Amino acid sequence: MAPNTAPSALWPAPHASGAVDATVHVPGSKSVTNRALVLAALASEPGWLRRPLRSRDTLLMAEALRAMGVEIEETVSSSSSVAGGPDGTGEAWRVLPTGLHGPATVDVGNAGTVMRFLPPVATLADGPIRFDGDPRSYERPLHGVIDALRRLGARIDDDGRGALPLTVHGGGALDGGPVSIDASSSSQFVSALLLSGPRFNQGVEVRHTGTSLPSMPHIRMTVDMLRAVGAQVDTPESGGEPNVWRVTPGALLGRDLTIEPDLSNAQPFLAAALVTGGKVLIPDWPERTTQPGDRLREIFTEMGGTCELTEFGLVFTGSGAIHGIDVDLSDVGELTPGIAAVAALADSPSTLRGVAHLRLHETDRLAALTKEINELGGDVTETADGLHIRPRALHGGTFHTYEDHRMATAGAIIGLAVEGVRIENIGTTAKTLPDFPELWTGMLGQ
């Protein structure tokens, strides 16, 4: 019987009876899938996405683009070129950019990529596009995108909130050009403008004026994907000015893209090997990638494991010991909940730094992690930009998730070593990792 994943249900987190030894096929990357959908929708010719992630966030993106007039056809093939799992079958999405138009209403849910990437796209539509979403989406920062688009010539009604709900009055084109923004609260502000930049009349030049810029790997991912579809992008790394990105106007090519596994979503499974002293194989782990989750190899090795990239994928092995870590996670903030969960089970204290921006994510992740781990007997304190974790003997109890998928998987990690952990609304993992309960129990052979 499938586990009860109703929002009100408490999911008994499985307790590991021994070392795990499993192969876990992780679905495609959310970050890559949603960027690929936007670029395919803005292309001058049809394109293919193979092995796309089907999750709440990616389906919201696909439905939003459909509402604006983009055709997205879904197919399932037994061809090896679209193989998505151990049975050799997989899904492919064919995207036909048939023109953007309104009126339309877009439901962003609580997906940062949808609420931030699509208002620039909507400026290119003929007609009004209204954006709305979950209550929490109203609290998440969007002012960087709204203010920038206005300075670039867009008309946006948001009643002065700098947040959802809002309406973009698309005029079929946007002048574009230079714009300065403070993207300290989200690198997605930069990515949002770059993704649509090739379609602006003058392209776009984005200058970040803040003191810090979190999640730089995600901007590098955006740049790499733009270049892969024919866009010309100048970056600080390619000899440009610091904190300035320029995209030249021009047509985007339709591509045939196979989506990489979501390396951040591999985190709980790698953590399981570390926590239980076992071994986990993640097939198709890429040799080179811009995904922030690739840094797990370094971080979890420092915390006590070993890894090997083989022809089959990444093999990660736990040593039976978990060590504390002092680490700057500013580039990989999304990994913080899982790392905090492992650190709570370590043999020495940990300090996680550089992640003040997590207070503005799906929930205030720093406050949530502190409260939930401490209520299980832990000793976690918030710092100005992160967490300090002193390991303590933990006990069972309810682990609340705040409708945050990474809080749910963090609770599951702790449950491996602590009996009696019950997770509220495990179904929230469907945001980026469909069927997580089944993958988790399958890994454990339960």
Side-chain angles (χ1 to χ4, degrees), residues 116 141 181-190 213-214 357 360:
R116 292 166 182 148
I181 63 171
D182 183 350
S184 301
S185 58
S186 177
S187 67
Q188 289 177 352
F189 294 169
V190 175
L213 185 56
H357 60 286
L360 300 171

Side-chain angles (χ1 to χ4, degrees), residues 90-444:
E91 189 168 4
W93 293 352
R94 186 168 186 249
V95 182
L96 295 93
T98 52
L100 301 166
H101 57 78
T105 297
V106 167
D107 176 12
V108 309
N110 192 19
T113 52
V114 182
M115 71 180 71
R116 292 166 182 148
F117 292 177
L118 289 189
V121 175
T123 66
L124 303 170
D126 286 313
I129 310 294
R130 176 173 170 78
F131 291 84
D132 207 340
D134 297 352
R136 171 63 181 172
S137 71
Y138 293 11
E139 303 171 21
R140 299 186 68 182
L142 196 54
H143 54 86
V145 174
I146 296 171
D147 294 346
L149 289 175
R150 284 184 175 137
R151 290 196 290 272
L152 293 173
R155 179 185 160 205
I156 301 174
D157 293 335
D158 68 338
D159 294 330
R161 287 182 302 270
L164 293 170
L166 59 85
T167 299
V168 177
H169 294 274
L174 192 71
D175 287 341
V179 66
S180 296
I181 63 171
D182 183 350
S184 301
S185 58
S186 177
S187 67
Q188 289 177 352
F189 294 169
V190 175
S191 288
L193 297 168
L194 298 183
L195 286 167
S196 291
R199 290 285 306 273
F200 298 163
N201 294 337
Q202 302 174 41
V204 71
E205 176 187 288
V206 182
R207 183 179 300 270
H208 167 60
T209 60
T211 56
S212 64
L213 185 56
S215 303
M216 276 295 298
H218 279 120
I219 296 179
R220 288 193 284 271
M221 176 187 294
T222 298
V223 170
D224 283 0
M225 293 184 68
L226 275 162
R227 288 172 172 163
V229 294
Q232 181 178 328
V233 188
D234 296 322
T235 71
E237 293 87 353
S238 60
E241 293 181 62
N243 293 323
V244 177
W245 293 262
R246 294 185 181 89
V247 180
T248 301
L252 297 178
L253 306 174
R255 290 297 196 196
D256 190 322
L257 176 67
T258 299
I259 307 297
E260 297 174 353
D262 194 311
L263 306 188
S264 295
N265 278 341
Q267 182 183 39
F269 306 103
L270 300 180
L274 191 55
V275 168
T276 68
K279 181 173 69 175
V280 168
L281 166 65
I282 308 293
D284 302 317
W285 194 286
E287 288 188 28
R288 289 177 298 277
T289 180
T290 54
Q291 287 193 61
D294 192 46
R295 197 171 161 209
L296 284 167
R297 293 192 286 165
E298 168 198 337
I299 293 170
F300 278 172
T301 295
E302 187 175 342
M303 296 186 81
T306 59
C307 65
E308 181 184 6
L309 197 55
T310 73
E311 61 180 308
F312 304 107
L314 182 71
V315 178
F316 187 83
T317 306
S319 63
I322 307 170
H323 310 311
I325 192 171
D326 186 327
V327 62
D328 184 337
L329 299 175
S330 55
D331 277 354
V332 290
E334 66 195 47
L335 304 180
T336 302
I339 293 169
V342 173
L345 303 170
D347 57 16
S348 57
S350 294
T351 299
L352 313 184
R353 296 178 281 106
V355 287
H357 60 286
L358 294 189
R359 294 186 171 99
L360 300 171
H361 274 222
E362 281 81 345
T363 188
D364 179 341
R365 284 178 170 165
L366 299 184
L369 287 163
T370 300
K371 178 177 182 294
E372 296 311 311
I373 295 174
N374 287 350
E375 288 193 353
L376 299 182
D379 184 358
V380 182
T381 54
E382 282 193 62
T383 65
D385 72 338
L387 300 172
H388 186 63
I389 303 167
R390 302 170 189 84
R392 296 285 186 270
L394 302 182
H395 54 72
T398 299
F399 196 93
H400 300 91
T401 60
Y402 308 87
E403 299 185 2
D404 184 335
H405 56 129
R406 300 209 190 277
M407 286 296 296
T409 53
I413 292 168
I414 292 174
L416 289 172
V418 180
E419 291 193 72
V421 175
R422 300 178 304 277
I423 299 176
E424 171 203 53
N425 189 14
I426 192 66
T428 196
T429 53
K431 176 180 170 68
T432 62
L433 187 52
D435 304 322
F436 171 75
E438 291 80 6
L439 287 170
W440 196 247
T441 54
M443 173 191 68
L444 296 168

